[in-house]
Amino acid sequence: MATIAAVAPPGANSAADITDKALVGEGLTKVFGGFAAVKDVNLSVRRGSIHALIGPNGAGKTTCFNLLTKTLTPTRGRILLDGEDISRMRTSDVARRGLVRSFQISAIFPHLTVLENVRVALQSSFGTGYQFWRSLRAVAPLNQRAEELLEQVGIQDNRDSPAAALSYGKKRALEIATTLALEPRVMLLDEPTAGMGHEDIEPITELIKRVAVGRTVLLVEHNLSVVSTLCDRITVLQHGEVLAEGSYQEVSNDQRVVEAYMGGIDE
Amino acid sequence: MRLPLLAAVVAVAILLVAPFYFYSVTLMTIMCFVVFACSFNLLLGYSGLLCFGHAMFFGGAAYITGHLLKTTPMSLELAILCGGIFSGLLGLLIGVLSIRRQGIQFAMITLAFSQFVYFIFLQSSFTGGEDGMQAIPRNALFGLFDVSDNAVFYYVVLAVTLVCVFVYYRIVHSPYGEVLKAVRDNQPRVESLGFNPERVKLLAFVLSATMAGIAGGMKATVYQFATLTDASWPISAEVILMTLLGGLGTLTGPIFGAGIIIMLNDYLAGFGEWALISQGVILLVVIVFFRRGFVGEFDALTRYLRGRRAEAAVTKPENSVQAL
Ligand SMILES: Nc1ncnc2c1ncn2[C@@H]1O[C@H](COP(=O)(O)OP(=O)(O)O)[C@@H](O)[C@H]1O
Ligand SMILES: [Mg+2]
């Protein structure tokens, strides 16, 4: 397994090097009826890295994540994807530019088969999504790619079962396969291990590591052991502001972070 | 996969000889409502959009088709098609204004629009107001064939119905149908995959309205009159009932639902209010005990039986669970 950190060229910390940043949030602020859930957050995700967003409950992680995924519109601030300002774009347009999110609750299509779930995503760039007059033979060329993706996440044996019948862990895997179908340059994962038992956490962590090769990943994660094994860089939020940023080592030795976490996180 | 094809062939064969055994006007009425219910299922069953005013497309097209046949020498099939196009355009207009709303809000907006459309038809002179539009002629088919006799006209209605049911089947099993079902299942996810779900739903609304219009136009030519009833709330409610009774989101559900309700109405017609009361009772029973509807429950039963057989045959229990 390739180590992602090695991909980063020397001098990666130079602020002027914009092309090195896959995703940047500048001065992000989100106000909900007078209450600032996120305040002037600056965040940059280095290309090819796995970056985690952590913090105690109510810190603003989900809000921050939703701003970056364009689910929410920022009150102030800008979001740059590969240097392009995407602050005012629709979610669907951003997805076509290579920024694709997953959801905290497994976002699958329960009444479609596993293969169909992935095929819907493949149709996005194939351009058949509005062809109501053609038979499904029109999308048969996508089946092979869909099967490859299912194989990549290890659920090819469930190809024809309804997605609703999958186990929790396999639903997550299916969601990742569906996300990969868009060949995203940047993947945003919202608590990928939320609600999982021990037996599911490890395979999903491995899977994320595997599919992250050659991509940029930003994830919100509660489970600190997952963060420590998976992530190159960590941003800690508290009260809507960035408290600390750095490697797992740096962050976990930071006194303010330790204090913030006292009785804070449900690990 | 050969069984459904066989069933379709048998069904068509029965329909071809049916007018020799049953009253052809009842059969034609059933077919009009089969098309109408299919259009509704496309919306509620496959897009998750609940329209409370679908009668405006049905009744509106009935007036347009009737008006064209009365005032122009337009051939029969073109007049029905124009009724469908009218409803499609009406659907586009109302869809653009309401498709962003979800759930009950969407339902209430469509209801409001349908009341408005009803009012316009009530006030217009071309519709004949409360008296309805009478004596709609059956102009020659393709401008050539005389179809004024019901024995002949039955086959025209059958042909149009078969085409519509095929189109409905095609939409459900098309690349677009796959995306549509995905929107129904999880709209935010579809958007995050790069689609515009509102546009997907708008297309479904327009297709559904068009098909409802074809059904309405066909009904105007069967009865040779069009009335305000066709565009009224009870018809909107009846198509909901048919779809739920047959099985929401099942391909053949609306076909059975429409057949059962029309036959029941026909049978109970002599009993006055009993027709309405029995509809209410049926709706209750379906909602409480048979939520999947006629076809849905039948599918579940066959799957259950097949699953049990598979369980007995396969040693690994995991497989049969997945087959379910
Ligand atoms: N839609 C909203 N409306 C009002 N307040 C919100 C909304 N979403 C989040 N908040 C508030 O913003 C703060 C941060 O929430 P959130 O981003 O969900 O934190 P986290 O995900 O880190 O637990 C919380 O105090 C929460 O109550
Ligand atoms: Mg949260």
Side-chain angles (χ1 to χ4, degrees):
Chain A
M1 209 122 314
T3 21
I4 314 323
V7 176
N13 288 332
S14 141
D17 194 3
I18 187 88
T19 56
D20 188 39
K21 313 260 189 281
L23 183 66
V24 176
E26 279 180 4
L28 287 180
T29 301
K30 181 68 188 179
V31 180
F32 291 116
F35 170 74
V38 167
K39 278 171 274 184
D40 196 29
V41 165
N42 290 299
L43 182 81
S44 55
V45 183
R46 207 193 316 132
R47 190 182 314 287
S49 70
I50 304 184
H51 194 128
L53 205 53
I54 66 169
N57 267 327
K61 302 181 297 294
T62 299
T63 308
C64 202
F65 186 86
N66 285 339
L67 289 174
L68 292 169
T69 57
K70 309 297 296 112
T71 313
L72 290 173
T73 307
T75 311
R76 273 190 301 282
R78 292 200 306 164
I79 300 157
L80 306 176
L81 176 65
D82 288 322
E84 185 185 13
D85 191 341
I86 59 164
S87 314
R88 306 283 150 199
M89 282 186 197
R90 295 177 59 110
T91 315
S92 52
D93 293 330
V94 172
R96 288 170 178 280
R97 282 176 168 74
L99 176 84
V100 185
R101 69 166 298 182
S102 77
F103 291 75
Q104 188 166 336
I105 22 147
S106 289
I108 54 158
F109 307 119
H111 296 101
L112 300 187
T113 68
V114 168
L115 182 87
E116 285 168 343
N117 262 266
V118 178
R119 201 163 59 187
V120 164
L122 289 170
Q123 280 204 53
S124 175
S125 55
F126 196 58
T128 45
Y130 290 97
Q131 297 184 353
F132 61 85
W133 59 91
R134 298 182 71 182
S135 80
L136 283 173
R137 249 170 290 158
V139 286
L142 299 176
N143 289 356
Q144 197 195 339
R145 178 71 188 130
E147 277 161 13
E148 281 168 20
L149 287 162
L150 293 180
E151 210 171 310
Q152 202 177 344
V153 302
I155 52 171
Q156 65 276 23
D157 293 342
N158 304 85
R159 181 186 188 277
D160 294 317
S161 47
L166 293 183
S167 70
Y168 194 88
K170 284 184 174 180
K171 279 181 186 155
R172 266 279 125 133
L174 174 59
E175 191 187 348
I176 290 175
T178 308
T179 304
L180 288 176
L182 271 84
E183 298 186 4
R185 286 172 295 155
V186 183
M187 281 172 86
L188 303 178
L189 310 175
D190 195 5
E191 301 201 25
T193 66
M196 279 186 182
H198 260 300
E199 67 287 359
D200 277 336
I201 288 184
E202 205 181 313
I204 285 292
T205 313
E206 275 306 309
L207 178 59
I208 293 172
K209 201 178 252 179
R210 206 150 20 98
V211 302
V213 175
R215 303 178 205 281
T216 308
V217 177
L218 174 72
L219 49 91
V220 172
E221 182 57 67
H222 266 301
N223 188 319
L224 289 185
S225 82
V226 171
V227 171
S228 69
T229 51
L230 203 55
C231 301
D232 311 306
R233 202 159 181 84
I234 292 151
T235 299
V236 187
L237 288 181
Q238 191 191 20
H239 304 314
E241 289 172 299
V242 176
L243 182 66
E245 196 178 313
S247 68
Y248 186 77
Q249 277 308 322
E250 291 163 0
V251 165
S252 59
N253 290 328
D254 190 310
Q255 197 52 43
R256 292 165 306 169
V257 176
V258 176
E259 275 164 28
Y261 266 74
M262 285 297 174
I265 206 156
D266 39 319
E267 205 184 326
Chain B
M1 281 296 102
R2 297 209 61 84
L3 198 63
L5 191 66
L6 186 69
V9 170
V10 170
V12 171
I14 291 173
L15 285 168
L16 282 173
V17 298
F20 298 107
Y21 303 96
F22 299 98
Y23 182 42
S24 65
V25 173
T26 308
L27 293 173
M28 289 192 280
T29 310
I30 290 175
M31 289 194 278
C32 292
F33 277 92
V34 162
V35 174
F36 189 30
C38 284
S39 82
F40 190 78
N41 194 35
L42 190 63
L43 214 51
L44 184 57
Y46 292 100
S47 338
L49 288 167
L50 175 56
C51 177
F52 269 169
H54 227 43
M56 67 181 144
F57 304 122
F58 186 76
Y63 281 131
I64 297 300
T65 299
H67 186 67
L68 287 170
L69 288 172
K70 281 186 80 149
T71 57
T72 72
M74 184 181 276
S75 62
L76 187 94
E77 76 292 343
L78 277 181
I80 294 177
L81 190 67
C82 286
I85 291 170
F86 164 80
S87 290
L89 293 174
L90 182 63
L92 180 64
L93 177 71
I94 291 170
V96 165
L97 296 171
S98 59
I99 210 81
R100 288 182 172 228
R101 309 286 161 179
Q102 298 191 0
I104 202 72
Q105 272 198 33
F106 176 80
M108 294 325 281
I109 291 179
T110 53
L111 177 61
F113 275 119
S114 74
Q115 296 299 85
F116 184 64
V117 167
Y118 180 88
F119 181 74
I120 292 176
F121 287 143
L122 177 65
Q123 297 297 317
S124 302
S125 57
F126 88 98
T127 62
E130 306 225 30
D131 300 330
M133 185 184 279
Q134 308 290 340
I136 297 169
R138 283 182 194 159
N139 292 356
L141 185 70
F142 303 117
L144 295 171
F145 307 104
D146 176 31
V147 289
S148 50
D149 184 0
N150 272 350
V152 179
F153 194 60
Y154 172 85
Y155 293 98
V156 176
V157 173
L158 177 59
V160 175
T161 303
L162 289 178
V163 169
C164 286
V165 170
F166 177 73
V167 169
Y168 158 76
Y169 167 84
R170 170 51 72 240
I171 294 170
V172 170
H173 294 281
S174 68
Y176 167 72
E178 213 165 79
V179 178
L180 186 63
K181 285 178 256 182
V183 171
R184 173 197 65 190
D185 277 8
N186 191 336
Q187 180 170 334
R189 180 55 169 165
V190 175
E191 186 164 14
S192 83
L193 295 177
F195 292 98
N196 180 341
E198 269 143 27
R199 219 183 292 163
V200 173
K201 289 198 289 187
L202 182 62
L203 178 57
F205 196 66
V206 171
L207 290 171
S208 170
T210 307
M211 193 176 277
I214 303 262
M218 204 153 69
K219 192 192 169 222
T221 58
V222 169
Y223 282 85
Q224 300 193 268
F225 60 77
T227 64
L228 276 171
T229 312
D230 295 334
S232 68
W233 158 248
I235 293 289
S236 293
E238 200 159 74
V239 78
I240 298 175
L241 181 62
M242 287 171 178
T243 311
L244 291 180
L245 179 67
L248 195 61
T250 60
L251 195 73
T252 53
I255 298 174
F256 288 99
I260 293 169
I261 293 286
I262 297 294
M263 283 196 286
L264 208 64
N265 283 354
D266 216 49
Y267 178 72
L268 293 169
F271 299 88
E273 293 86 41
W274 285 105
L276 276 176
I277 294 171
S278 70
Q279 274 194 5
V281 172
I282 290 172
L283 185 60
L284 262 175
V285 169
V286 167
I287 286 175
V288 177
F289 298 108
F290 306 106
R291 307 197 91 171
R292 285 176 280 213
F294 185 80
V295 173
E297 294 292 347
F298 183 77
D299 281 353
L301 185 70
T302 49
R303 241 175 306 158
Y304 172 73
L305 293 176
R306 215 182 294 156
R308 287 229 319 213
R309 222 180 308 145
E311 214 167 329
V314 179
T315 39
K316 265 195 300 180
E318 199 193 332
N319 276 353
S320 63
V321 173
Q322 280 165 359
L324 277 169

